[in-house]
Tab-separated table of all heavy atoms in Angstrom:
chain	number	residue	atom	x	y	z
A	127	GLN	N	36.132	24.091	-13.250
A	127	GLN	CA	35.799	24.470	-14.622
A	127	GLN	C	37.050	24.801	-15.432
A	127	GLN	O	37.185	24.405	-16.586
A	127	GLN	CB	34.842	25.667	-14.610
A	127	GLN	CG	34.593	26.298	-15.970
A	127	GLN	CD	33.706	25.450	-16.865
A	127	GLN	OE1	32.979	24.590	-16.375
A	127	GLN	NE2	33.745	25.683	-18.155
A	128	GLU	N	37.975	25.508	-14.817
A	128	GLU	CA	39.175	25.930	-15.537
A	128	GLU	C	40.027	24.737	-15.943
A	128	GLU	O	40.513	24.643	-17.070
A	128	GLU	CB	39.985	26.887	-14.658
A	128	GLU	CG	41.238	27.448	-15.302
A	128	GLU	CD	40.944	28.400	-16.443
A	128	GLU	OE1	39.774	28.820	-16.587
A	128	GLU	OE2	41.873	28.726	-17.200
A	129	ARG	N	40.203	23.826	-15.003
A	129	ARG	CA	41.017	22.646	-15.308
A	129	ARG	C	40.336	21.776	-16.365
A	129	ARG	O	40.990	21.236	-17.254
A	129	ARG	CB	41.249	21.830	-14.045
A	129	ARG	CG	42.007	20.541	-14.299
A	129	ARG	CD	42.591	19.976	-13.043
A	129	ARG	NE	43.381	18.794	-13.331
A	129	ARG	CZ	44.311	18.310	-12.529
A	129	ARG	NH1	44.584	18.918	-11.401
A	129	ARG	NH2	44.973	17.225	-12.844
A	130	SER	N	39.026	21.643	-16.263
A	130	SER	CA	38.298	20.836	-17.247
A	130	SER	C	38.383	21.464	-18.631
A	130	SER	O	38.465	20.751	-19.635
A	130	SER	CB	36.839	20.694	-16.817
A	130	SER	OG	36.743	19.991	-15.600
A	131	ARG	N	38.363	22.777	-18.694
A	131	ARG	CA	38.489	23.459	-19.986
A	131	ARG	C	39.843	23.145	-20.629
A	131	ARG	O	39.927	22.842	-21.824
A	131	ARG	CB	38.337	24.968	-19.794
A	131	ARG	CG	38.569	25.786	-21.055
A	131	ARG	CD	38.409	27.264	-20.780
A	131	ARG	NE	39.406	27.754	-19.853
A	131	ARG	CZ	40.643	28.133	-20.202
A	131	ARG	NH1	41.012	28.054	-21.473
A	131	ARG	NH2	41.495	28.561	-19.310
A	132	LEU	N	40.899	23.186	-19.844
A	132	LEU	CA	42.230	22.892	-20.380
A	132	LEU	C	42.376	21.405	-20.709
A	132	LEU	O	43.049	21.047	-21.682
A	132	LEU	CB	43.305	23.329	-19.375
A	132	LEU	CG	43.421	24.833	-19.143
A	132	LEU	CD1	44.441	25.136	-18.061
A	132	LEU	CD2	43.794	25.553	-20.438
A	133	ASP	N	41.748	20.550	-19.910
A	133	ASP	CA	41.791	19.116	-20.212
A	133	ASP	C	41.100	18.822	-21.540
A	133	ASP	O	41.559	17.970	-22.318
A	133	ASP	CB	41.115	18.318	-19.093
A	133	ASP	CG	41.982	18.222	-17.848
A	133	ASP	OD1	43.192	18.476	-17.958
A	133	ASP	OD2	41.445	17.895	-16.776
A	134	LEU	N	39.993	19.515	-21.787
A	134	LEU	CA	39.291	19.349	-23.062
A	134	LEU	C	40.184	19.790	-24.222
A	134	LEU	O	40.268	19.111	-25.254
A	134	LEU	CB	37.998	20.167	-23.047
A	134	LEU	CG	37.226	20.249	-24.373
A	134	LEU	CD1	36.804	18.862	-24.835
A	134	LEU	CD2	36.013	21.155	-24.232
A	135	ALA	N	40.873	20.913	-24.058
A	135	ALA	CA	41.764	21.404	-25.112
A	135	ALA	C	42.919	20.430	-25.342
A	135	ALA	O	43.300	20.157	-26.486
A	135	ALA	CB	42.291	22.785	-24.745
A	136	ARG	N	43.481	19.882	-24.269
A	136	ARG	CA	44.578	18.914	-24.415
A	136	ARG	C	44.107	17.664	-25.138
A	136	ARG	O	44.829	17.092	-25.949
A	136	ARG	CB	45.136	18.545	-23.036
A	136	ARG	CG	45.961	19.639	-22.382
A	136	ARG	CD	46.702	19.111	-21.165
A	136	ARG	NE	47.379	20.190	-20.468
A	136	ARG	CZ	46.841	20.884	-19.464
A	136	ARG	NH1	45.617	20.584	-19.047
A	136	ARG	NH2	47.507	21.846	-18.883
A	137	MET	N	42.903	17.210	-24.830
A	137	MET	CA	42.354	16.033	-25.502
A	137	MET	C	42.220	16.290	-27.002
A	137	MET	O	42.587	15.443	-27.831
A	137	MET	CB	40.992	15.686	-24.905
A	137	MET	CG	40.301	14.501	-25.562
A	137	MET	SD	38.579	14.322	-25.068
A	137	MET	CE	37.840	15.704	-25.957
A	138	ILE	N	41.705	17.462	-27.365
A	138	ILE	CA	41.540	17.803	-28.777
A	138	ILE	C	42.899	17.855	-29.473
A	138	ILE	O	43.063	17.366	-30.596
A	138	ILE	CB	40.794	19.141	-28.904
A	138	ILE	CG1	39.331	18.967	-28.493
A	138	ILE	CG2	40.880	19.677	-30.324
A	138	ILE	CD1	38.539	20.249	-28.456
A	139	ILE	N	43.885	18.430	-28.801
A	139	ILE	CA	45.225	18.529	-29.395
A	139	ILE	C	45.854	17.149	-29.540
A	139	ILE	O	46.348	16.778	-30.610
A	139	ILE	CB	46.125	19.438	-28.529
A	139	ILE	CG1	45.628	20.882	-28.550
A	139	ILE	CG2	47.569	19.374	-29.018
A	139	ILE	CD1	46.336	21.779	-27.555
A	140	LEU	N	45.841	16.389	-28.469
A	140	LEU	CA	46.550	15.110	-28.431
A	140	LEU	C	46.026	14.126	-29.461
A	140	LEU	O	46.797	13.426	-30.121
A	140	LEU	CB	46.459	14.510	-27.027
A	140	LEU	CG	47.184	13.181	-26.793
A	140	LEU	CD1	48.676	13.333	-27.034
A	140	LEU	CD2	46.928	12.682	-25.378
A	141	HIS	N	44.698	14.079	-29.640
A	141	HIS	CA	44.100	13.091	-30.533
A	141	HIS	C	43.717	13.661	-31.892
A	141	HIS	O	43.144	12.947	-32.715
A	141	HIS	CB	42.876	12.477	-29.868
A	141	HIS	CG	43.190	11.771	-28.579
A	141	HIS	ND1	43.882	10.579	-28.524
A	141	HIS	CD2	42.949	12.113	-27.285
A	141	HIS	CE1	44.032	10.204	-27.267
A	141	HIS	NE2	43.479	11.114	-26.494
A	142	GLY	N	44.016	14.926	-32.132
A	142	GLY	CA	43.745	15.513	-33.438
A	142	GLY	C	42.278	15.688	-33.746
A	142	GLY	O	41.886	15.687	-34.918
Side-chain angles (χ1 to χ4, degrees):
Q127 171 73 20
E128 182 68 13
R129 176 162 184 160
S130 296
R131 175 180 64 84
L132 293 176
D133 285 343
L134 173 60
R136 287 191 186 92
M137 178 191 73
I138 289 174
I139 294 171
L140 182 61
H141 299 289

